[in-house]
Amino acid sequence: MSDVKITIRDMMGGTRAEAEGEGQAVLVFKEEYNPGDTIHVSVSDVNRFYVIRIDDGMDEAMVYLTRPYLLYTIPFGDARISYNPKAFTGERHYLTIRQAADFEVSAYRNLAKNVMDQHGNNGCFPHVFANVETRGEAVFAARNAIDGVIANSSHGRWPFQSWGINMQDDAEITLAFGRPVDFDRIVLYTRADFPHDNWWTSATFTFSDGSREVVSMEKSSLPHVFSITRKGITWLKMSNMIKADDPSPFPALTQIEVYGTESR
């Protein structure tokens, strides 16, 4: 069993609260967060899966950690509006970490979801990054595309956060898994705040094995489902998105889902 620990630190590095255990730790923090506070997760075993609840206002995240230490920045101000408004607020916070069970790891599931993804790569996967995010605003950050929230009928603050491309034709987003995975289905929820939004008629997926797949889409609020099978993939990239012939310059991605299993 891996030794695990959750620590809340203030902006000066002082410890505000801490919990640790073998295979599992539960931290109940009975104070308000302050700007500059951070959450620190440490594990003794790396290259394995952990289930982390970084806040009780968010889903658990089953993540693959390749480093023994993870720093999570608590969002404040404009950075918080892409999160559930109940998250990180109030005087009681429930945080947990546990080593994932074998049946969870081996299950067929959405391999892309990580509700606690943030900018930078702290060895926590899955992780997304993009070459552009509209005006650098949190509600248009790449991380929004794997947070599990599929509301796509509007844009802006939670639950309508999305990956915004700032009207760039060369926009691309990369999803890194951190280890090899096998999958047979990719699902895209494109933003559908019509008539504010445009939409993509096609896009190209490039995979870590060097292969490519061009997919077609249409104007819809429903998920675009693609039967694409690949094995041993460590990352994929979506690029070459072609906008529809529509006056709006604002296509965007609400969510990407990738369904499969760990590589066998």
Side-chain angles (χ1 to χ4, degrees), residues 137-149:
E137 296 178 13
V139 292
F140 300 121
R143 67 160 297 276
N144 299 328
I146 62 169
D147 66 0
V149 180

Side-chain angles (χ1 to χ4, degrees), residues 27-46:
L27 175 59
V28 177
F29 181 49
K30 300 179 183 178
E31 300 178 48
E32 289 189 0
Y33 288 125
N34 298 319
D37 285 353
T38 51
I39 299 170
H40 301 248
V41 174
S42 59
V43 298
S44 61
D45 295 346
V46 297

Side-chain angles (χ1 to χ4, degrees), residues 117-121 127-138 140-146 162-166 168 170-176 200 236-239 241 252-253 256:
D117 192 33
Q118 291 191 322
H119 281 126
N121 186 352
H127 170 63
V128 289
F129 56 93
N131 65 343
V132 60
E133 295 174 341
T134 302
R135 296 185 297 273
E137 296 178 13
F140 300 121
R143 67 160 297 276
N144 299 328
I146 62 169
S162 60
W163 172 51
I165 67 169
N166 203 36
Q168 288 189 201
D170 64 346
E172 57 184 39
I173 187 169
T174 301
L175 168 61
W200 294 305
L236 64 81
K237 178 169 64 178
M238 189 174 81
S239 61
M241 289 89 78
L253 179 66
I256 180 171

Side-chain angles (χ1 to χ4, degrees), residues 16-78:
R16 299 193 65 191
E18 188 172 76
E20 59 184 313
E22 183 179 357
Q24 178 172 289
V26 177
L27 175 59
V28 177
F29 181 49
K30 300 179 183 178
E31 300 178 48
E32 289 189 0
Y33 288 125
N34 298 319
D37 285 353
T38 51
I39 299 170
H40 301 248
V41 174
S42 59
V43 298
S44 61
D45 295 346
V46 297
N47 299 321
R48 67 190 317 163
F49 288 91
Y50 295 87
V51 179
I52 302 174
R53 187 191 309 276
I54 208 71
D55 187 85
D56 46 86
M58 298 164 61
D59 291 345
E60 286 183 321
M62 191 168 90
V63 293
Y64 186 75
L65 298 184
T66 61
R67 299 180 185 177
Y69 178 78
L70 170 66
L71 169 65
Y72 188 88
T73 302
I74 299 172
F76 280 89
D78 289 342

Side-chain angles (χ1 to χ4, degrees), residues 70-208:
L70 170 66
L71 169 65
Y72 188 88
T73 302
I74 299 172
F76 280 89
D78 289 342
R80 183 176 279 176
I81 64 175
S82 62
Y83 294 83
N84 184 329
K86 297 184 287 290
F88 306 106
T89 60
E91 298 179 349
R92 247 163 221 262
H93 307 277
Y94 173 59
L95 300 84
T96 63
I97 180 174
R98 61 178 174 83
Q99 194 172 307
D102 290 344
F103 73 87
E104 294 174 298
V105 175
S106 62
Y108 180 88
R109 65 189 190 279
N110 176 12
L111 301 166
K113 184 179 178 181
N114 180 5
V115 302
M116 54 179 287
D117 192 33
Q118 291 191 322
H119 281 126
N121 186 352
N122 288 315
C124 180
F125 297 93
H127 170 63
V128 289
F129 56 93
N131 65 343
V132 60
E133 295 174 341
T134 302
R135 296 185 297 273
E137 296 178 13
V139 292
F140 300 121
R143 67 160 297 276
N144 299 328
I146 62 169
D147 66 0
V149 180
I150 60 173
N152 65 349
S153 61
S154 186
H155 68 283
R157 63 179 59 234
W158 186 93
F160 299 113
Q161 65 277 10
S162 60
W163 172 51
I165 67 169
N166 203 36
M167 300 182 287
Q168 288 189 201
D169 292 335
D170 64 346
E172 57 184 39
I173 187 169
T174 301
L175 168 61
F177 299 105
R179 80 285 178 192
V181 298
D182 302 341
F183 55 84
D184 60 13
R185 184 161 55 116
I186 297 176
V187 179
L188 298 180
Y189 285 84
T190 50
R191 209 175 63 199
D193 185 10
F194 309 125
H196 173 277
D197 285 345
N198 199 326
W199 65 96
W200 294 305
T201 60
S202 67
T204 300
F205 289 112
T206 304
F207 304 99
S208 60

